[in-house]
Amino acid sequence: MALYSEKVMDHFRNPRNVGVIEDADGVGEVGNAKCGDIMKMYLKIEDDVVTDVKFETFGCGSAIASSSMATELIKGKPVADAMKLTNKAVAEALDGLPAYKMHCSVLAEEAIQSALEDYYEKHPEKKP
Ligand code: FES
């Protein structure tokens, strides 16, 4: 069996939603101290819906594929759904990651959480 699924390879080669949102409502940056990879997420939120999301990932192929898939999973979804996105759901949507690469999907979950925290800090009235 191939080490990486077709979906991982697809999102690694053609990552969706790469870039920066200049006037983002929430920005989150996280890193993994062990591998040194860094992920940054930008969220645009209107009426409690994630209307746009972009990412910049300085990291391995699995981290890039995870960020790409994570953005697809939350784009157009209610903020409440984005809050609940787990790294497991990201990895499953990618048809799996090798066990030693699961931490790359954790980075995607944490980056979204961090961007949402930033959003709530700026808009405390929106906090559930
Ligand atoms: Fe660090 Fe993938 S090896 S995020």
Side-chain angles (χ1 to χ4, degrees), residues 32 34-37 39 59-63 100-101 103-105 107:
N32 181 301
K34 257 196 186 156
C35 63
D37 292 353
M39 197 181 285
C60 74
S62 299
Y100 72 102
K101 284 284 176 182
H103 79 269
C104 316
S105 63
L107 224 46

Side-chain angles (χ1 to χ4, degrees), residues 6-19 53-57 59-72 75 94:
E6 275 301 313
K7 273 195 191 161
V8 172
M9 292 312 292
D10 177 32
H11 279 263
F12 166 57
R13 291 199 184 105
N14 310 295
R16 283 52 148 191
N17 307 307
V18 176
V53 46
K54 293 223 184 304
F55 78 89
E56 293 176 305
T57 293
C60 74
S62 299
I64 290 167
S66 295
S67 347
S68 170
M69 180 54 89
T71 60
E72 292 248 287
K75 200 171 181 175
L94 287 168

Side-chain angles (χ1 to χ4, degrees), residues 5-105:
S5 72
E6 275 301 313
K7 273 195 191 161
V8 172
M9 292 312 292
D10 177 32
H11 279 263
F12 166 57
R13 291 199 184 105
N14 310 295
R16 283 52 148 191
N17 307 307
V18 176
V20 175
I21 300 176
E22 294 294 349
D23 59 343
D25 297 303
V27 181
E29 185 175 324
V30 293
N32 181 301
K34 257 196 186 156
C35 63
D37 292 353
I38 297 167
M39 197 181 285
K40 199 164 178 180
M41 282 277 170
Y42 301 83
L43 300 177
K44 197 81 200 142
I45 295 172
E46 274 163 52
D47 296 330
D48 297 322
V49 169
V50 179
T51 53
D52 200 11
V53 46
K54 293 223 184 304
F55 78 89
E56 293 176 305
T57 293
F58 182 82
C60 74
S62 299
I64 290 167
S66 295
S67 347
S68 170
M69 180 54 89
T71 60
E72 292 248 287
L73 290 173
I74 63 165
K75 200 171 181 175
K77 297 277 163 55
V79 172
D81 288 5
M83 293 267 290
K84 285 189 234 140
L85 184 74
T86 61
N87 79 295
K88 216 169 150 250
V90 174
E92 270 167 20
L94 287 168
D95 289 339
L97 282 170
Y100 72 102
K101 284 284 176 182
M102 278 306 276
H103 79 269
C104 316
S105 63

